Amino acid sequence: MDSIQMWQIIILTIYSFLAINESLMGNIGLIHPVFAGMLTGIVMGDLTLGLSVGGTLQLMQLGISAFGGASIPDFFTGAVVGTVFGILSGKGLNFAIGLAVPVGLLMVQLDIVARFTNTFLLHKIDKAIEEVNTKKIEYYTLLGALPWGLSRALPIMIILIFGEPIINVILNYLPDAIMGGLKVAGGVLPVVGIAILLRYLPTKQYIPYFIVGIVLAAYLKLPILGITLIGIALAILDFKKVNKKSIQAVIEKSTFEGGFAGDE
């Protein structure tokens, strides 16, 4: 197995610290697994594998959100760790996903710890509000970014520094049955994510589009970019059709009531 360089560890640690905090502010996408996989792939020198890992984990996360402050599997951290060791080990996508999934599930516990720490700071802010002390309010608000960022930065840094012996043990001693199970889980979870998402979308009226997509992908072997462009074209046509009907309905109603053409 190749070894990771210190500059790579530093960049990925800083990135993880910034990404988790950015998700609470502008949320431009740094926290998304597909972005994490892409950036990690660039840093590690294998953009293709990084995008494959990040994209697969992004599918797993579809339909899952931290509503009400709930803790969910952290596939962001999983994307970083899985991509790194997928590249270092030379085992590719299946191994990377098999490692990323348990890492993402384990990170749920640290997410809870970070939230608990920020609850302590929130009480400090409440007290500062009662005292009308704006400086303390600003101080404790900014201080809250520290435990939140460290909840991802520290685990990633520790895993990247000391994780190579662990990965070697996994490669040498993990039974084929377990590795096979992880590969199956890596293949099934994206489907589960998509199924959860489709459960809450008006899919019944768009069944013909699903059939078209399946034919293009399974039978015509069209690349995903080509299918995406066709999907965008169909979405634009559907939008124009619905918009035209809405405008026509407004015109007919206005004409009937005398709003545009009536003499009343």
Side-chain angles (χ1 to χ4, degrees):
M1 174 186 289
D2 297 330
S3 60
I4 187 171
Q5 303 298 315
M6 182 56 65
W7 67 268
Q8 294 172 319
I9 296 176
I10 293 174
I11 290 177
L12 293 177
T13 300
I14 294 175
Y15 161 62
S16 61
F17 184 93
L18 296 175
I20 187 63
N21 280 297
E22 185 274 332
S23 67
L24 302 177
M25 298 181 290
N27 195 11
I28 61 175
L30 297 180
I31 196 66
H32 294 311
V34 65
F35 192 97
M38 180 189 72
L39 189 140
T40 305
I42 293 174
V43 172
M44 298 302 299
D46 192 339
L47 176 59
T48 301
L49 181 60
L51 285 172
S52 297
V53 174
T56 302
L57 293 174
Q58 190 73 50
L59 289 176
M60 297 182 189
Q61 194 167 288
L62 289 177
I64 303 176
S65 296
F67 295 117
S71 295
I72 61 174
D74 181 15
F75 290 131
F76 161 76
T77 302
V80 174
V81 174
T83 300
V84 168
F85 290 107
I87 295 172
L88 293 179
S89 66
K91 293 291 183 177
L93 180 61
N94 288 333
F95 175 79
I97 298 300
L99 181 62
V101 171
V103 168
L105 296 175
L106 179 63
M107 286 299 298
V108 172
Q109 309 305 320
L110 291 180
D111 183 76
I112 294 173
V113 172
R115 292 175 187 273
F116 178 79
T117 304
N118 280 337
T119 300
F120 169 78
L121 294 174
L122 183 59
H123 290 312
K124 292 288 187 180
I125 294 174
D126 290 337
K127 185 176 180 180
I129 292 174
E130 293 175 358
E131 298 172 352
V132 195
N133 191 329
T134 55
K135 289 186 177 180
K136 281 189 176 181
I137 295 173
E138 293 175 358
Y139 171 74
Y140 287 123
T141 300
L142 293 175
L143 189 61
L146 186 60
W148 198 244
L150 291 177
S151 69
R152 268 55 174 193
L154 275 180
I156 286 178
M157 182 180 68
I158 292 172
I159 292 174
L160 296 185
I161 293 175
F162 302 104
E164 186 173 342
I166 297 175
I167 301 303
N168 284 327
V169 170
I170 294 175
L171 288 174
N172 295 327
Y173 298 104
L174 194 64
D176 292 338
I178 296 180
M179 279 299 295
L182 292 174
K183 291 178 182 179
V184 171
V188 170
L189 285 176
V191 180
V192 174
I194 293 176
I196 294 174
L197 182 64
L198 293 179
R199 174 66 178 80
Y200 297 99
L201 294 176
T203 54
K204 292 183 179 179
Q205 66 188 82
Y206 296 114
I207 288 296
Y209 297 106
F210 283 102
I211 296 175
V212 171
I214 292 173
V215 171
L216 292 174
Y219 296 96
L220 300 182
K221 306 297 182 182
L222 195 67
I224 189 65
L225 178 59
I227 297 176
T228 301
L229 292 174
I230 292 176
I232 292 174
L234 292 174
I236 293 173
L237 291 174
D238 186 73
F239 174 78
K240 288 183 176 180
K241 180 180 178 181
V242 173
N243 195 42
K244 184 177 180 181
K245 287 183 178 179
S246 300
I247 294 174
Q248 186 65 32
V250 172
I251 293 175
E252 290 177 356
K253 182 178 180 181
S254 300
T255 302
F256 177 76
E257 294 177 352
F260 291 156
D263 297 324
E264 295 82 2

